[in-house]
Amino acid sequence: MKDVLTIGDAMITFDPTRNGPLRNVHSFERKAGGAEFNFAIGCARLGLNTGWISRLGNDEFGKYIRNFARGEGIDVSAVKLVDGYPTSLNFKEIREDGSGSTFYYRADSPTKTLTEQTLDVDAIRQTKILHITGVFAAIDPEKNLRLLKRAVTIAKDNGALVSFDPNIRLKLWDREKAQKSLSQLLPYVDIILTGVEEAELLFGVNQSDKIVAACERYGISTVAIKQGEKGAFGSMGGLSLMVPPRPPKKVVDTVGAGDGFNAGFIYGMLQGWSLERTLHFANTIGSMVVSVYGDNEGLPELGEVLVQLGEREYVER
């Protein structure tokens, strides 16, 4: 039985060796990333039994990503290498304040070969939480929406909770298509992990209490609203509260912070923690991620988070 399982694409990420517009960058460092991939790494580093369903190109990049995930302790038995589809790529542009932009090369993603017929049903039946995102849906909206509906139906039928991060990438699809497609998944969702702008796109409201009310109409019982430097708002079991952020030492790269928050929130739920403790824990991970360059390099192990929270002593030598 897995603690958590996710479905989605992974990419080779080319990180610039200097900040600024990519037209002025002449060299890059090869890394790996992707929303679901980062989430899986975050969960595994916290000690959760984590699985990942995906397809990668049968090329050197695909083998690198699969080996990377395996090395992190992620179950990759449902990750297949396929011929004829190159592993997806993206190039990152990082500005001086740590913010940035991403340029995708994933139109012919290997995950196009992941269908309802090839979906690993047994893996879904044997997980406590199935985590999905809007990124995977955006890659091939019609096919992947059908696949995700099948996956969440199987999960719910077998007693699993469904966690959902809208993670809307407007470079992959437009607002209208995203809203129409992702709204079809909401009736299956138990836990939503969203930003304010994504919630506004989905529900047409941007105030925390109204977002919670909109989620409740879909039967979503647990809501976490990520607000970056403002902290996070959560609602669960009739309790709603705002938790302040944990200021990072320095913001150098914001990519992956939301995925880290998600992993931390899911970890707290699986431990049966209070909403307040869960939000503090998730916020702390987000602040740790933005202090490190890379999509997932800053995702911490459990002991490192406990040190940051003051719950474990740090022994330097």
Side-chain angles (χ1 to χ4, degrees), residues 221-223 234-240 265 269 273-276 278:
S221 57
T222 301
V223 179
S235 178
M236 180 172 64
L239 173 66
S240 294
F265 193 90
M269 288 203 64
W273 290 349
S274 68
L275 176 61
E276 184 175 10
T278 298

Side-chain angles (χ1 to χ4, degrees), residues 5-304:
L5 175 73
T6 190
I7 303 172
D9 197 12
M11 303 170 290
I12 291 294
T13 295
F14 285 103
D15 286 4
T17 55
R18 58 176 292 180
N19 293 352
L22 284 190
R23 71 187 73 129
N24 300 322
V25 176
H26 305 291
S27 58
F28 299 83
E29 183 178 3
R30 182 206 64 183
K31 297 184 179 181
E36 300 88 0
F37 181 71
N38 294 338
F39 170 79
I41 291 173
C43 289
R45 288 185 186 168
L46 293 173
L48 296 178
N49 189 341
T50 305
W52 175 39
I53 297 175
S54 190
R55 295 292 183 270
L56 299 165
N58 188 18
D59 51 34
E60 291 301 308
F61 286 157
K63 293 171 185 176
Y64 165 72
I65 292 174
R66 187 177 64 173
N67 290 346
F68 182 178
R70 184 186 289 122
E72 292 287 341
I74 298 167
D75 182 350
V76 294
S77 58
V79 178
K80 310 298 182 186
L81 302 179
V82 296
D83 294 319
Y85 292 83
T87 298
S88 299
L89 308 176
N90 78 48
F91 288 80
K92 286 169 60 179
E93 179 180 85
I94 301 175
R95 302 188 183 97
E96 294 299 331
D97 63 356
S99 64
S101 186
T102 301
F103 300 88
Y104 297 108
Y105 298 85
R106 65 197 307 182
D108 209 21
S109 167
T111 58
K112 288 193 172 184
T113 65
L114 183 58
T115 65
E116 294 175 81
Q117 292 70 38
T118 61
L119 188 63
D120 192 327
V121 173
D122 288 337
I124 300 172
R125 287 173 176 159
Q126 299 174 44
T127 190
K128 297 175 184 176
I129 294 179
L130 174 65
H131 179 75
I132 61 174
T133 86
V135 177
F136 181 61
I139 293 172
D140 191 338
E142 187 173 336
K143 177 188 74 67
N144 286 354
L145 191 63
R146 291 197 306 269
L147 185 150
L148 288 173
K149 283 183 178 179
R150 174 160 168 72
V152 295
T153 299
I154 294 168
K156 302 281 280 190
D157 287 347
N158 287 274
L161 297 176
V162 173
S163 168
F164 175 53
D165 183 347
N167 224 330
I168 297 169
R169 299 286 191 264
L170 294 179
K171 287 189 176 181
L172 298 178
W173 54 358
D174 62 38
R175 294 175 183 274
E176 182 178 355
K177 183 68 173 178
Q179 195 279 334
K180 182 178 180 180
S181 298
L182 297 182
S183 293
Q184 297 179 51
L185 296 173
L186 295 175
Y188 302 93
V189 174
D190 300 289
I191 307 159
I192 189 167
L193 307 159
T194 182
V196 174
E197 290 183 2
E198 295 165 331
E200 185 172 17
L201 188 151
L202 283 177
F203 305 117
V205 294
N206 58 17
Q207 296 176 307
S208 297
D209 57 339
K210 293 183 179 180
I211 294 172
V212 171
C215 290
E216 289 176 345
R217 287 194 287 273
Y218 283 97
I220 301 171
S221 57
T222 301
V223 179
I225 305 172
K226 296 172 278 188
Q227 300 185 32
E229 60 185 14
K230 296 180 181 179
F233 180 90
S235 178
M236 180 172 64
L239 173 66
S240 294
L241 55 89
M242 182 75 188
V243 171
R246 186 176 188 89
K249 295 178 181 178
K250 182 180 180 181
V251 177
V252 298
D253 188 353
T254 59
V255 176
D259 304 321
F261 178 98
N262 293 349
F265 193 90
I266 294 302
Y267 182 88
M269 288 203 64
L270 286 169
Q271 306 313 305
W273 290 349
S274 68
L275 176 61
E276 184 175 10
R277 176 166 169 76
T278 298
L279 288 170
H280 272 302
F281 186 81
N283 271 345
T284 299
I285 293 178
S287 74
M288 295 173 76
V289 172
V290 301
S291 300
V292 180
Y293 283 108
D295 290 22
N296 45 59
E297 282 76 1
L299 291 167
E301 295 183 353
L302 177 60
E304 296 173 306

